[in-house]
Amino acid sequence: MKGIAAGKPGEVLVFDFPSPEPGAGDLIVKPLACGICSTDVKMASRGSGGKIEYALGHELAAEIVTVSEGEKRWEVGQKIVAAPYLPCGACYYCQHGQPTLCKNLFSVFLSPGGLAELVKIPRDLAARGTFLIPDAMPVDIAALAEPFGCVIKGVEDVGLKTGDSVLIIGDGPMGVIAAAVSRYHGASLVMVAGMTPHRLAVVEKHYADVVINVGQSDLRSEVDKHTHGRGADIVMSAVSSAEALSNAIDCVRPGGWVNAFAGVPDGTTISLDLKKLHYQQYFMTGSFGVGPNHLVKALNMFASGRVNVAPVISAHFPFAQAIKAVAYARDRAGLKAMVTFQ
Ligand SMILES: [Zn+2]
Ligand SMILES: [Zn+2]
């Protein structure tokens, strides 16, 4: 069966994977929609290291085509979303409510990946990380449960409270989603800083109170204008760069929170003004990944109808053009690229 995989560094290709064989408790699903993530772009640029084992894609909505004998929870024909990986629930970190620090996080995963004709959901993931899509929900929206879940975790990690002001640095898909999620979580002011006019236009129309084009205006003075000169209560850095995080620290109010939300390459460092840290007592953390409960929260958010989620997807590609979808994400042509299967 066909899947879309990273080949040589920078290459994305169609690869013939063995059809997945279900073991006891496993599900076999047929993808319906799968979003393209910056992680896929990263994996494609790194390449597969000579041996192709996995397909790209982990933002998956799918239909169950095979259940094992005696399966009670799932039925053929049900539409589901599945987490890409699964915290074990038993290690030190899981027991401290920090699921994405789980030491066994990647021991269970979608196989070979979401961009394939068939996908195996291993037993534990089927039991604890797979969720029914509500009947009325379009499958491309449901496939956004993973990226929205990551952002929901991200705002939880910085304790976003009703009435907070939030600055998001970055107008890529995750920055735009962060604006939508912040508003849904009760932020009174959502500011998004970016450099891409067509993306900022979408954010301004649907998700943010203020957009700041950092190519045209000074970020900190714009933030000051809207926060009585204090800085934002919460700043999310959703750009993969040291400069973005330094700017985030520059824009947080004393006692506020900074989230290093975007992943960065190995060895990325910033210099830290320790005097500012000491006297301004701001907090800083990062956020990585998603736990199963965040997918549930995302689905509930979509089902609430309080957020217009659809504009996050700026292009749909049929599975036959999935390679183009990865290129679209790599080239930052729009926002989220969504692959759909018939
Ligand atoms: Zn993702
Ligand atoms: Zn664990």
Side-chain angles (χ1 to χ4, degrees), residues 87-95 99 101-105:
C88 73
C91 74
Y92 183 88
Y93 298 98
C94 284
Q95 291 185 343
L101 299 179
C102 175
K103 289 298 156 201
N104 310 304
L105 192 61

Side-chain angles (χ1 to χ4, degrees), residues 114-328:
L115 289 174
E117 288 177 302
L118 293 171
V119 179
K120 178 163 94 174
I121 301 178
R123 183 185 60 196
D124 289 353
L125 195 57
R128 293 191 286 122
T130 300
F131 307 101
L132 206 55
I133 299 173
D135 279 342
M137 192 179 292
V139 291
D140 57 342
I141 299 297
L144 294 173
E146 196 270 350
F148 270 76
C150 291
V151 172
I152 290 170
K153 176 180 180 299
V155 302
E156 287 179 354
D157 287 342
V158 291
L160 174 57
K161 291 180 285 299
T162 309
D164 279 352
S165 59
V166 179
L167 168 66
I168 293 138
I169 298 179
D171 56 14
M174 287 313 243
V176 174
I177 292 171
V181 168
S182 298
R183 191 175 260 184
Y184 177 77
H185 280 75
S188 62
L189 174 68
V190 177
M191 299 172 280
V192 175
M195 297 185 79
T196 325
H198 65 90
R199 288 174 159 180
L200 290 174
V202 176
V203 180
E204 185 164 38
K205 183 162 177 208
H206 298 286
Y207 307 118
D209 303 295
V210 174
V211 297
I212 302 163
N213 185 333
V214 292
Q216 288 167 2
S217 37
D218 178 65
L219 178 59
R220 174 71 210 214
S221 40
E222 287 300 312
V223 171
D224 280 347
K225 261 191 228 166
H226 298 281
T227 59
H228 306 280
R230 275 193 301 265
D233 294 323
I234 286 172
V235 187
M236 307 277 289
S237 175
V239 176
S240 176
S241 82
E243 192 194 354
L245 185 61
S246 293
N247 290 338
I249 293 169
D250 198 40
C251 290
V252 72
R253 73 158 168 86
W257 277 88
V258 173
N259 191 333
F261 186 72
V264 289
D266 285 350
T268 307
T269 58
I270 58 166
S271 66
L272 200 60
D273 179 342
L274 294 183
K275 190 173 172 193
K276 173 173 167 158
L277 179 63
H278 177 78
Y279 283 104
Q280 298 201 355
Q281 300 182 58
Y282 65 87
F283 298 85
M284 184 157 52
T285 187
S287 277
F288 157 73
V290 67
N293 62 325
H294 302 110
L295 266 69
V296 176
K297 290 179 184 186
L299 289 173
N300 290 344
M301 173 181 168
F302 303 159
S304 77
R306 283 189 218 141
V307 182
N308 182 9
V309 181
V312 168
I313 303 171
S314 57
H316 289 83
F317 297 83
F319 181 55
Q321 289 178 26
I323 293 173
K324 273 194 192 155
V326 180
Y328 177 93

Side-chain angles (χ1 to χ4, degrees), residues 37-39 58-59 146-147 150 174 336:
C37 178
S38 59
T39 308
H58 57 266
E59 302 176 355
E146 196 270 350
C150 291
M174 287 313 243
K336 178 66 77 181

